[in-house]
Amino acid sequence: MSEKEAWAYQLDWLNIVTILGLDTIDQIPEDKRISVIKKLSKLYSPESLLSFIPQELDELVASELKSLMEKELRTHAKQKERMEKQLRNRMPSVKRPGVIGIDMNDLKDLPDDVKKMFSKMFMQNEGDDDKDDDSDDYSEDKNSYYI
């Protein structure tokens, strides 16, 4: 770097990455970093660039990088949105508090003794000897399982 570009040592690249909404500095190509530094060195004198507050200098470099990296930033935003959508779809929705939906396909990989325990708990036969459950004075929801 020449003396004209000495102001570039003041840059806080972590702050610039945060302003751009990226995750790491590796997402900014080296050639684009160099071209922004050279462009700003041509537009402003070294004394004026050194007189900037570091935050203002970071914002200036970030705005120049934003114009240079439009395509990369758009693809990064789409990818981030897609990942968030996939994460939301994987998380179980909480429709009723206290009730957790059970997908029976998830239970097929369990050991046999655990399967038997679940079948006794959840899928009782109609011919059970336990008749006192039917004569409850309380009106319960017989269609859902509460955990």
Side-chain angles (χ1 to χ4, degrees), residues 65-92:
L65 275 171
K66 192 178 285 189
S67 64
L68 267 179
M69 296 179 55
E70 287 179 20
K71 184 177 178 182
E72 290 96 340
L73 292 173
R74 254 187 277 124
T75 57
H76 181 263
K78 285 180 183 178
Q79 183 181 21
K80 196 171 188 177
E81 182 180 314
R82 189 178 314 122
M83 288 177 62
E84 287 174 357
K85 186 176 179 181
Q86 287 176 352
L87 184 64
R88 272 186 267 127
N89 288 340
R90 288 183 187 164
M91 297 295 290

Side-chain angles (χ1 to χ4, degrees), residues 14-135:
L14 182 61
N15 189 24
I16 294 169
V17 167
T18 306
I19 292 170
L20 291 174
L22 299 174
D23 300 323
T24 63
I25 193 166
D26 296 331
Q27 293 173 321
I28 303 172
E30 184 71 28
D31 60 331
K32 293 194 180 183
R33 283 186 249 166
I34 293 170
S35 66
V36 165
I37 291 172
K38 287 182 180 181
K39 181 180 179 180
L40 290 176
S41 294
K42 288 179 185 177
L43 290 175
Y44 300 98
S45 68
E47 293 83 23
S48 65
L49 286 170
L50 286 171
S51 68
F52 278 121
I53 298 172
Q55 178 68 24
E56 292 175 347
L57 199 57
D58 294 343
E59 290 174 5
L60 181 65
V61 171
S63 67
E64 288 296 323
L65 275 171
K66 192 178 285 189
S67 64
L68 267 179
M69 296 179 55
E70 287 179 20
K71 184 177 178 182
E72 290 96 340
L73 292 173
R74 254 187 277 124
T75 57
H76 181 263
K78 285 180 183 178
Q79 183 181 21
K80 196 171 188 177
E81 182 180 314
R82 189 178 314 122
M83 288 177 62
E84 287 174 357
K85 186 176 179 181
Q86 287 176 352
L87 184 64
R88 272 186 267 127
N89 288 340
R90 288 183 187 164
M91 297 295 290
S93 62
V94 181
K95 295 177 184 173
R96 292 185 282 167
V99 177
I100 300 172
I102 297 174
D103 185 12
M104 292 311 217
N105 292 328
D106 293 340
L107 301 178
K108 67 182 177 184
D109 296 331
L110 293 174
D112 288 333
D113 53 339
V114 176
K115 286 182 191 177
K116 289 178 185 177
M117 181 187 72
F118 277 127
S119 66
K120 285 180 183 177
M121 288 174 51
F122 296 127
M123 299 171 199
Q124 295 178 353
N125 296 334
E126 291 180 8
D128 274 348
D129 296 329
D130 193 14
K131 302 282 184 193
D132 60 345
D133 283 344
D134 299 334
S135 63

